[in-house]
Amino acid sequence: MHQPLVSILMGSDSDWPTLEAASNVLKDFGVPHEARVLSAHRSPASLRRYVAGAPRRGLKVFIAGAGGAAHLGGVVAAHTILPVIAVPIETKSLKGLDSLLSMVQMPTGVPVATVAIGNAANAALLAIQTLALHDRALQRKLAAYKRRLTAKNLKADRTLQATLRGRSCR
Ligand code: RP5
């Protein structure tokens, strides 16, 4: 087992269906990671101990997903100098706008990089880009990923153009 480089934290196990996408992306890129349920509100002492011990264990980046009064990313950032990427979880009552605003409005000096509501895959990609600054193999994997993204997009355009041409001939 490789030592985890990325920590995926979530306030509740109900956040896992969203955060699983981050785990899947990290797995695709071969980045060792771990996932924990630790809450800024429900288990603050355990969260603080975990965050304090993270650098010793070789962790480099935190991903923090939470919903509603989503203070997890901010509290993690308050206790570490490692980068924190937050994922606002979509909520029933306010559709995740509550989570987004709770996460994104951090005071100067305690930044939390916040991705779009529910976009855990982007949080993982940002974590990978951070790790890739000092990892040539990850840089190559990211470049290949971008090439695939471009190819897929251009293929979609060709398909659309063909459909539109077919329509105008009728
Ligand atoms: C937050 O409260 C969690 O991150 C979760 O998104 C939300 C609701 O938690 P549960 O009531 O589903 O456990 O702390």
Side-chain angles (χ1 to χ4, degrees):
M1 276 299 270
H2 290 289
Q3 130 186 327
L5 297 175
V6 178
S7 165
I8 301 175
L9 294 175
M10 64 210 88
S12 165
D13 56 352
S14 66
D15 300 326
W16 176 243
T18 300
L19 289 166
E20 197 173 6
S23 177
N24 290 339
V25 171
L26 291 165
K27 205 158 124 198
D28 288 349
F29 277 82
V31 174
H33 57 283
E34 64 185 19
R36 297 286 305 269
V37 177
L38 288 167
S39 163
H41 305 127
R42 292 165 173 162
S43 51
S46 303
L47 174 65
R48 191 183 166 166
R49 268 196 305 276
Y50 174 80
V51 173
R56 264 198 311 279
R57 300 181 47 238
L59 287 161
K60 304 285 185 224
V61 187
F62 288 101
I63 292 173
H71 300 134
L72 183 62
V75 169
V76 172
H79 290 296
T80 187
I81 58 165
L82 295 177
V84 181
I85 304 164
V87 183
I89 302 293
E90 191 171 333
T91 53
K92 272 198 201 115
S93 43
L94 296 173
K95 306 286 173 222
L97 191 59
D98 43 353
S99 322
L100 174 67
L101 296 179
S102 301
M103 286 175 162
V104 83
Q105 292 289 49
M106 288 298 294
T108 302
V110 193
V112 169
T114 305
V115 297
I117 296 168
N119 203 330
N122 263 2
L125 287 167
L126 263 179
I128 293 163
Q129 287 174 330
T130 307
L131 297 172
L133 289 170
H134 302 286
D135 186 328
R136 295 293 287 272
L138 270 187
Q139 286 170 21
R140 282 192 290 275
K141 286 184 192 177
L142 280 166
Y145 173 82
K146 288 268 190 201
R147 283 195 295 276
R148 286 197 300 279
L149 211 58
T150 302
K152 197 173 160 199
N153 185 247
L154 295 180
K155 187 177 171 212
D157 182 51
R158 284 194 299 276
T159 306
L160 177 65
Q161 297 316 311
T163 307
L164 294 176
R165 273 196 302 276
R167 216 193 259 177
S168 64
C169 290
R170 271 179 226 141

